[in-house]
Each structure stands twice: as C-alpha cells, then as structure tokens.
DNA sequence: ATTCTCACA
DNA sequence: TGTGAGAA
C-alpha cells in the first residue's frame, strides 16, 4: 500500500477526539468495539488508538444505526467491504465505500431508506 | 488530566 | 446506554 493508506491506518487518536469527530460517546465507541465494528490499536497504557480509517467506519456505522440497523446488521455490512486491518486497503475508504455501502443495503433489502431519523 | 474496565440504583 | 468507582 502507499503512504496514503498507511497514514489512514496510522493515525493514533484518543477516544476523546473520536468522540468529538463522530459525535458518538466514548461509551458507544467502546461498545461498538465489542462487536468488532472498529479495531482500534492499543497503546502501552491500554489506551485505544483510532485511525482515520476507523473514523470513516464509525461515521458510516453511525449512519446505519440512525437508519434503524442493529449492531449485528451493521457488522455484517462492514465485514463484507471492510478490508481494513493492515493488508491491501484499497483506496476505497471514502467515496467508493459509500457507494458500496448503499448498494449492500439495497441488496440485503430490508432496511428501507426513507428518512434518516436524526435523534440527537 | 485522561482513559480503562467492570458493574449497577 | 449512561454513570460512577478504582486503578493505571
């Protein structure tokens, strides 16, 4: 992978930053981790270290949850197009990903996408 | 000062 | 999910 991808998975932001950037509470961020929705690295102090890629995932997750999906459902969608880890993360972290996500949702067909209930 | 884990009025 | 205790 090139520098671009490396950095996307290198960012090491503390949970507080992620919380502000995603609008999710630290509690939720840790909770989502239990479902393998995100894979933050850990510092020696056992501190969670999120990458820019994780932020991207979190934002999508947030979107899906707002659309009425549950953790298990979101997880399934994520696993099908989340090559994250430290392999060959193609450059489909933003735009392309969004399209794929939408496609997945429509295919699985069951989550009607009428209105986004932003309740926060 | 921050974050982590665990458990619950 | 939120919140607080106790440790790192």
């Amino acid at each position: 992978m090139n520098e671009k991808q490396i950095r996307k998975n290198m960012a090491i932001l503390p949970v507080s930053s992620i919380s502000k950037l995603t609008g999710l509470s630290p509690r939720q961020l840790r909770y989502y981790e239990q479902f393998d929705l995100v894979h933050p690295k850990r510092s020696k102090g056992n501190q969670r270290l999120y990458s820019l890629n994780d932020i991207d995932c979190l934002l999508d997750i947030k979107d899906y949850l707002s659309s009425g999906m549950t953790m298990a459902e979101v997880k399934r969608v994520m696993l099908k197009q989340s090559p994250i880890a430290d392999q060959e993360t193609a450059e489909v972290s933003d735009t392309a990903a969004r399209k794929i996500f939408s496609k997945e949702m429509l295919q699985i067909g069951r989550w009607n996408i009428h209105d986004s209930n932003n309740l926060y």
Side-chain angles (χ1 to χ4, degrees):
Chain A
M1 55 172 91
N2 54 52
E3 320 299 306
K4 196 183 288 183
Q5 278 104 36
I6 293 179
R7 307 195 194 197
K8 281 191 177 185
N9 298 323
M10 242 187 24
I12 46 189
L13 307 134
V15 62
S16 64
S17 300
I18 305 301
S19 181
K20 293 176 185 174
L21 288 162
T22 64
L24 296 166
S25 69
R27 178 75 174 81
Q28 290 175 294
L29 296 175
R30 293 166 189 140
Y31 189 57
Y32 296 165
E33 187 179 349
Q34 297 187 343
F35 288 81
D36 295 313
L37 266 51
V38 285
H39 326 132
K41 293 180 177 57
R42 294 303 187 111
S43 66
K44 290 184 178 180
N46 200 39
Q47 303 281 100
R48 271 165 248 269
L49 303 176
Y50 293 84
S51 67
L52 296 179
N53 213 313
D54 290 325
I55 295 179
D56 206 82
C57 292
L58 264 341
L59 290 175
D60 285 325
I61 292 171
K62 181 175 179 291
D63 249 52
Y64 295 162
L65 293 175
S66 295
S67 299
M69 278 199 262
T70 63
M71 306 291 218
E73 297 168 338
V74 176
K75 181 178 180 180
R76 293 194 54 173
V77 180
M78 295 300 281
L79 293 176
K80 282 198 173 296
Q81 55 67 224
S82 180
I84 40 183
D86 37 63
Q87 299 174 46
E88 39 89 2
T89 304
E91 64 169 279
V92 282
S93 303
D94 27 80
T95 57
R98 279 190 154 292
K99 299 186 64 177
I100 297 176
F101 276 68
S102 299
K103 186 179 178 182
E104 282 287 15
M105 290 177 72
L106 293 174
Q107 289 190 326
I108 300 177
R110 99 152 266 211
W111 358 91
N112 24 332
I113 319 167
H114 41 284
D115 60 317
S116 305
N117 308 313
N118 302 312
L119 49 168
Y120 39 91

